[in-house]
Amino acid sequence: MTKPTTDATAHLTRRGFLRTSATAAAVAAPYFVPSSVFGETAPSNRITVAFIGTGNQGFLDLTLFMAQPDCQVVAVCDVNKGSDNYKEPSDVRGREPAKALVESTYAKRSGSGKFKGCDTFNDFREVLARKDVDAVVIVSPDHWHDVMAIAAAKAGKDIYGEKPLGLTIAGQQAMIKAVRDKRCVFQTGSHERSNPYVKAACDLVQSGAIGKVRRVVCNIGRQNKLGPGPGWEPTPIPSGFDYDMWLGPAPEAPYHKDRCLYNFRFIDDYAGGQTANFGAHSIDIAQWGLGTSLTGPKEVEYVYADYLPEGSLFNAATFLNFRCKYENGTVLDCVTAEPSVRTAFYGDDGIVSIDNQGQNALVIPRKLTPEKLQKRVKYHSGGDHVRNFLDCVKSREEPVAPIEVGHRSASICHLGNISLKLQTKLKWNPEVERFEGGRSDEANKLLSREQRSPWKIS
Ligand SMILES: NC(=O)c1ccc[n+]([C@@H]2O[C@H](COP(=O)([O-])OP(=O)(O)OC[C@H]3O[C@@H](n4cnc5c(N)ncnc54)[C@H](O)[C@@H]3O)[C@@H](O)[C@H]2O)c1
């Protein structure tokens, strides 16, 4: 994971250009802002970042990026000009609120109370065409991740891409190809990889502290919204919302106010339900502890799944369990639960369990003695996933959650969802990433999806 994969000389960045070009000041003029905003960080060392998707998580990621003194958010893109109807009714998000957040944050920092210099876009392709943007943060719904990341890589941008990596295994493979062909730095948004506490717990498991791991349980949260039931009627598309560009590569579908913002995660055309939403975290930790980050299980089996009534807008499984088996016999159970525990490893000599916030890991030795009843791994300081990404943009080193790692953990979510759809057990070959035997023909068809024209993942 430490091998540098990108070549600083091959990847001509805006910052490199600024350092070498006599015309730099003219080219990047809009972003030479007062030093009071960015302290001592010279423009040539400042990473310019654009956000694609400024909704629920986009706002959180925005604050994390803006907190870094050597990074400047210069543009925000969202097909929603600005509205509520996000995760919480009071959340007002979209490109105009995001621009306001960026400019007010930098204004406060400047001391003068004034700052202008964050552009807004409806179409992400216009963001990618800008030569003065070093990196993009992709926080759009899952059905867009592959198309956007591939276009961003082709435009020479480094990418912080939210989890789960993509909507399909084929789409994710195409993302890897584009990122590696173009030598981009790509950080998957599985922020637990930067959490020293989760790292300590996974290191313990990998070091054999609990003996051979027989089973790992990955908890995923319940569905927190229900959406409209059978017989639902379309609702009018609000002004300032580019619904066609929201749908993008997904199939044509009538608009409903509960289809898009935040709720897309419960609809199969756009995401993988809570399996992929939470599983991209809990399964990623499992892969880390098991030492299987760059491979996957040999088998995936449907155990049970419940759904809302037929005809409901939300059609992802609401309550589920699927089970995977690795080559060495270790079983991974992904199960709906109240996830106070996110991931728990059960070994011959004890248990390591990691809580939902990744702030508590409990080590329970099997042979209890008064001194060794249980041990907590202490959390020191918050690891910084964004910081790690920005450092790698500069050094061209591999970040802690490279695209292949994000691919393999998201793949298990997709494999699980395929087993739930077919209600069966399937053999998976992690080397060639295909199903084999039994109902493999049906299952292999679910590794990719049609893209609505003109969108393509190639
Ligand atoms: N790392 C984490 O802990 C974490 C937490 C929550 C969400 N996420 C991930 O972040 C992503 C977004 O989730 P969310 O909850 O923020 O959803 P959201 O619906 O609140 O936000 C997504 C935003 O993307 C915009 N969008 C849609 N299509 C677009 C397009 N073509 N161009 C530009 N913008 C477009 C939407 O209008 C919306 O504002 C998901 O992939 C999700 O899994 C990660």
Side-chain angles (χ1 to χ4, degrees):
M1 232 43 65
T2 52
K3 182 171 66 78
T5 53
T6 44
D7 175 350
T9 54
H11 193 101
L12 181 64
T13 63
R14 180 199 60 91
R15 287 171 298 110
F17 179 71
L18 281 181
R19 276 194 291 271
T20 54
S21 169
T23 57
V27 171
Y31 301 113
F32 281 94
V33 291
S35 62
S36 52
V37 180
F38 294 97
E40 296 309 306
T41 309
S44 58
N45 278 326
R46 208 179 293 152
I47 298 163
T48 49
V49 171
F51 268 68
I52 303 175
T54 51
N56 167 50
Q57 183 68 14
F59 263 53
L60 176 62
D61 288 345
L62 255 180
T63 57
L64 297 176
F65 274 82
M66 285 192 293
Q68 300 298 327
D70 56 349
C71 151
Q72 185 182 352
V73 177
V74 296
V76 288
C77 166
D78 200 300
V79 294
N80 186 10
K81 188 171 177 207
S83 73
D84 56 8
N85 209 34
Y86 280 88
K87 182 181 181 185
E88 306 300 337
S90 57
D91 290 342
V92 176
R93 311 238 151 136
R95 61 180 183 269
E96 289 299 338
K99 174 189 167 84
L101 175 67
V102 172
E103 294 191 334
S104 67
T105 303
Y106 290 150
K108 264 187 223 138
R109 209 183 287 170
S110 76
S112 72
K114 290 189 195 134
F115 181 88
K116 294 272 171 253
C118 178
D119 294 327
T120 54
F121 293 90
N122 181 67
D123 188 327
F124 69 95
R125 292 168 293 190
E126 290 174 27
V127 175
L128 299 181
R130 277 180 57 156
K131 297 279 176 259
D132 61 347
V133 168
D134 294 322
V136 290
V137 184
I138 300 178
V139 206
S140 52
D142 307 6
H143 67 285
W144 265 116
H145 289 183
D146 48 17
V147 169
M148 286 176 175
I150 291 166
K154 287 184 174 167
K157 310 300 180 197
D158 293 321
I159 305 163
Y160 185 101
E162 267 305 346
K163 49 55 56 179
L165 188 67
L167 183 63
T168 65
I169 290 178
Q172 294 177 176
Q173 289 166 329
M175 289 167 83
I176 294 175
K177 182 170 182 328
V179 161
R180 292 307 178 196
D181 281 355
K182 292 293 176 181
R183 300 177 175 187
C184 304
V185 169
F186 189 105
Q187 176 88 297
T188 312
S190 314
H191 49 80
E192 290 83 2
R193 293 266 172 175
S194 289
N195 182 329
Y197 201 47
V198 177
K199 179 176 187 319
C202 289
D203 284 350
L204 264 178
V205 176
Q206 281 204 31
S207 70
I210 55 167
K212 179 173 165 49
V213 178
R214 301 283 169 187
R215 182 166 176 247
V216 52
V217 175
C218 301
N219 286 328
I220 57 173
R222 270 183 309 122
Q223 190 158 309
N224 55 336
K225 304 221 174 179
L226 292 179
W232 61 269
E233 296 280 343
T235 60
I237 300 172
S239 70
F241 187 70
D242 185 345
Y243 180 51
D244 187 62
M245 195 65 175
W246 186 93
L247 279 175
E252 201 73 61
Y255 179 82
H256 188 283
K257 69 175 183 51
D258 290 342
R259 183 184 290 282
C260 301
L261 307 176
Y262 183 81
N263 296 324
F264 70 86
R265 51 183 35 73
F266 309 123
I267 305 175
D268 182 64
D269 279 339
Y270 321 117
Q274 296 297 47
T275 308
N277 187 31
F278 283 103
H281 295 293
S282 54
I283 292 173
D284 186 60
I285 296 171
Q287 286 270 95
W288 196 4
L290 295 177
T292 54
S293 292
L294 294 176
T295 181
K298 299 277 280 186
E299 191 180 285
V300 56
E301 180 182 7
Y302 158 85
V303 182
Y304 60 77
D306 285 334
Y307 299 87
L308 291 168
E310 178 81 31
S312 298
L313 179 59
F314 296 178
N315 58 1
T318 50
F319 212 80
L320 65 96
N321 180 198
F322 67 84
R323 185 167 294 157
C324 297
K325 205 179 259 180
Y326 288 84
E327 178 80 62
N328 66 358
T330 300
V331 166
L332 179 155
D333 251 318
C334 177
V335 62
T336 305
E338 278 306 330
S340 52
V341 170
R342 182 158 270 186
T343 307
F345 298 89
Y346 295 84
D348 284 344
D349 301 329
I351 301 169
V352 168
S353 89
I354 296 158
D355 83 348
N356 185 31
Q357 299 305 319
Q359 287 171 358
N360 258 308
L362 196 60
V363 184
I364 309 170
R366 183 161 167 190
K367 296 203 174 28
L368 297 181
T369 61
E371 314 78 64
K372 257 178 93 180
L373 262 180
Q374 59 186 34
K375 181 169 110 189
R376 271 175 201 280
V377 181
K378 289 266 177 273
Y379 182 55
H380 299 297
S381 61
D384 197 333
H385 211 50
V386 168
R387 184 66 257 156
N388 171 253
F389 170 67
L390 296 172
D391 287 343
C392 292
V393 168
K394 287 179 177 172
S395 68
R396 315 310 297 164
E397 292 282 316
E398 193 77 288
V400 292
I403 191 164
E404 290 83 359
V405 167
H407 167 57
R408 291 297 182 151
S409 35
S411 290
I412 297 176
C413 305
H414 304 324
L415 296 179
N417 277 336
I418 291 171
S419 78
L420 300 185
K421 275 183 189 160
L422 301 181
Q423 300 200 352
T424 193
K425 186 196 275 195
L426 296 157
K427 292 251 168 284
W428 175 248
N429 183 334
E431 304 294 317
V432 295
E433 299 187 80
R434 302 285 294 171
F435 292 103
E436 290 174 348
R439 294 172 65 189
S440 58
D441 285 352
E442 262 172 286
N444 281 325
K445 286 197 184 116
L446 300 177
L447 296 176
S448 59
R449 300 192 188 190
E450 286 289 314
Q451 305 285 290
R452 190 172 67 113
S453 179
W455 303 105
K456 297 192 197 113
I457 57 166
S458 53

